[in-house]
Amino acid sequence: MAEAVSLPTGFGELEVLAVGVVLLVEAPTSLSALAGLSLNSLTIFSFCTSPELRTPSHLLVLSLALADSGVSLNALTAATASLLRRWPYGSGGCQAHGFQGFAAALASICGSAAVAWGRYHHYCTRSRLAWRMAASLVLFVWLSSAFWAALPLLGWGHYDYEPLGTCCSLGYARGSRNFTSFLFLMAFFNFLLPLFITFTSYRLMEQKLGRTSPPQVPALIAKMVPTVNAVNYALGSGIWQRLSLQ
């Protein structure tokens, strides 16, 4: 039987409905594919149908698009639950939803760093990015993301309902030593380190090429990252332009 979660104090049905509508901007509906999922799906389709786009550098962009599509699909689940005013998938579904969303988010963050490094390697070194190196980076990104996302399922960290009770993610409200230690190590390896790689790569590109690096996008809303990445990396890599020529 579906597990109903009552709305927390301070939130009314109007607020929950608003959250659902906002999330649907980032997720597909039964009638159309919107924003993040549609744009990243276009990137994936372009890579699969255009032989000239199947390069090691574009493989990194493809991996990022897959990760961001996962974030969008996770947002669809949250949007559906918000519109229903309850979490309909039970405690097991909450754990699965938290794992899938967290793994996709980590793959997106680390994938962005991989793309940044790949661009630095392409523009600032005399050697081309090899397929083996690109494939190894993609494999590392996904295995590392799955590893860190699985730890809360094994007892280090915890997945729990978000304040509205219609979405599941890391249980930040738990200030235990167990969760704090997990959070600090996870943040170092999956946020600070990728951020350092991304910043350093674009900074070195700026110095090498003597021009301004790609614009940095403020993290206003975390679930808008799939759309931003699709526009920034796919458009910047010429993927959509190649598809339009076809």
Side-chain angles (χ1 to χ4, degrees), residues 22 30 92 99 111 120 153 187 201 217:
V22 170
S30 59
F99 170 81
Y120 161 77
L153 299 177
S201 297
V217 181

Side-chain angles (χ1 to χ4, degrees), residues 59-71:
L59 179 63
L60 300 179
V61 178
L62 173 66
S63 176
L64 179 61
L66 289 171
D68 288 336
S69 295
V71 175

Side-chain angles (χ1 to χ4, degrees), residues 98-188:
F99 170 81
Q100 187 274 327
F102 193 41
L106 293 181
S108 178
I109 294 172
C110 296
S112 297
V115 170
W117 182 87
R119 289 187 167 183
Y120 161 77
H121 187 279
H122 177 78
Y123 290 110
C124 301
T125 66
R126 296 182 179 179
S127 59
R128 291 175 175 247
L129 183 63
W131 275 105
R132 178 175 296 181
M133 176 60 73
S136 298
L137 282 174
V138 170
L139 184 62
F140 174 79
V141 165
W142 284 99
L143 288 180
S144 174
S145 301
F147 169 77
W148 285 98
L151 290 178
L153 299 177
L154 301 176
W156 195 21
H158 181 72
Y159 291 122
D160 203 351
Y161 297 104
E162 291 187 354
L164 285 177
T166 57
C167 184
C168 293
S169 63
L170 287 177
Y172 295 101
R174 295 195 176 189
S176 64
R177 181 176 301 179
N178 173 284
F179 180 77
T180 302
S181 61
F182 168 77
L183 185 63
F184 272 98
L185 284 177
M186 183 276 299
F188 175 79

